[in-house]
Amino acid sequence: MRRFRRAIVAVLALALVAGAIYAIVAILQRSETLVSERCLAVIGSESYELATDQAANASLITAISVQRGLPPRAASIALATAMQESKLRNINYGDDAGPDSRGLFQQRPSQGWGTEAQVMDPVYATNAFYNGLIKIPGYETMEITQAAQQVQRSAFPRAYAQHENMGRAFASALTGHSESALTCELRMPEAAGDPAAVVEELTAAYGPQPATVQGRSVQLDITGTQAWAVAHWAVANAKSLSITQVDVGGQTWNREKRDGWIASTAPSESVTITVSAPTT
């Protein structure tokens, strides 16, 4: 009987330990500090990952192509180029081949790209790249390496090819041609969002938009590829703008749930972007 009691005690102790471990693991899984922040774009069975700051820059580069009425191929070329040149980061230094290179596209003031302040402005730099790209006859059907090289005049022209698939995936999502194809996994915001800041950044990226601020949300009466372009842009900029939810075309992205785009009752004739409320 004594052995039986000891066995029962041992089993109960193991059960308590197992329960405690499960509870600890569950708590850790919900911990904000353990969330690995990233953004993903999916084409077919393939997914491509960018850091949140890279994704935000990719969204701006692509939005400017949309604003200018350029084909998605232009955005694919620009994204592959910027990834090779700067890792899609607005860096203020160059390399041995171009010590005065600056910005997303590593444009050189000494080569006529503009002043240092201009090429460090992502909007200016992106427009400067597209200005060069559209002068190339047939760039839409060229290999990315060929088109990028004719604009950039790089010492390593074949290097652009390694970023082609990434560029295509993010361009397809951010031009709105692939629906619910870009998502970001993020921690919850530490500060309140500002709907006016969302409108300001949208305007910088796309030009004037039919935006209405309603409380903590921005609503845009747009449809089709434009709606999905803006919705994906909002997700890509959710970290810096404290965006918590995006609703478009029967789909919702919710920052807290972290399960990507899910079916919802979101209307198809508008996009709604919601920012975090002040903490009390």
Side-chain angles (χ1 to χ4, degrees):
M1 180 62 72
R2 190 173 297 171
R3 289 181 180 177
F4 178 74
R5 288 176 179 172
R6 283 200 295 266
I8 292 295
V9 170
V11 169
L12 290 173
L14 288 172
L16 288 171
V17 170
I21 292 173
Y22 178 83
I24 291 170
V25 169
I27 291 170
L28 290 175
Q29 286 176 337
R30 291 193 297 268
S31 174
E32 291 291 301
T33 60
L34 294 182
V35 175
S36 179
E37 297 190 311
R38 59 179 185 161
C39 294
L40 299 170
V42 178
I43 283 189
S45 61
E46 300 294 326
S47 65
Y48 301 88
E49 179 178 329
L50 290 177
T52 55
D53 63 321
Q54 292 174 309
N57 286 327
S59 75
L60 175 63
I61 291 169
T62 307
I64 290 173
S65 77
V66 172
Q67 180 185 161
R68 294 178 59 140
L70 301 178
R73 181 66 171 174
S76 295
I77 296 168
L79 293 180
T81 301
M83 175 58 87
Q84 174 58 30
E85 297 290 355
S86 69
K87 300 300 181 187
L88 274 169
R89 291 188 165 105
N90 194 35
I91 55 178
N92 62 352
Y93 55 87
D95 55 25
D96 292 339
D100 66 332
S101 298
R102 298 291 186 272
L104 288 171
F105 294 91
Q106 286 290 278
Q107 293 155 335
R108 301 182 64 184
S110 64
Q111 299 297 316
W113 283 101
T115 66
E116 181 172 339
Q118 285 175 323
V119 299
M120 281 297 297
D121 175 357
V123 174
Y124 175 93
T126 299
N127 276 302
F129 178 84
Y130 286 135
N131 290 342
L133 183 65
I134 62 177
K135 293 177 182 177
I136 302 169
Y139 76 86
E140 301 95 329
T141 57
M142 286 182 180
E143 291 184 6
I144 279 183
T145 52
Q146 185 181 1
Q149 174 62 4
Q150 287 199 37
V151 179
Q152 297 292 107
R153 303 297 180 186
S154 170
F156 306 100
R158 300 303 302 176
Y160 300 115
Q162 63 187 312
H163 308 297
E164 180 171 2
N165 291 336
M166 177 282 302
R168 184 183 300 114
F170 275 89
S172 184
L174 288 163
T175 57
H177 285 79
S178 294
E179 298 182 1
S180 57
L182 187 153
T183 186
C184 294
E185 298 174 6
L186 304 171
R187 303 182 190 102
M188 291 302 291
E190 296 180 355
D194 181 0
V198 173
V199 174
E200 182 179 352
E201 292 298 320
L202 265 172
T203 302
Y206 292 98
Q209 295 294 304
T212 303
V213 174
Q214 298 178 341
R216 308 302 304 169
S217 296
V218 177
Q219 183 171 313
L220 299 102
D221 295 326
I222 51 178
T223 60
T225 57
Q226 179 75 2
W228 274 105
V230 169
H232 285 144
W233 173 92
V235 173
N237 288 274
K239 180 177 175 64
S240 61
L241 293 173
S242 296
I243 293 168
T244 55
Q245 185 164 309
V246 182
D247 299 281
V248 58
Q251 299 281 320
T252 293
W253 175 86
N254 184 283
R255 181 170 180 158
E256 183 176 9
K257 293 181 179 179
R258 302 190 185 103
D259 50 8
W261 291 94
I262 59 173
S264 71
T265 58
S268 59
E269 67 276 5
S270 65
V271 177
T272 301
I273 302 167
T274 303
V275 302
S276 61
T279 56
T280 56

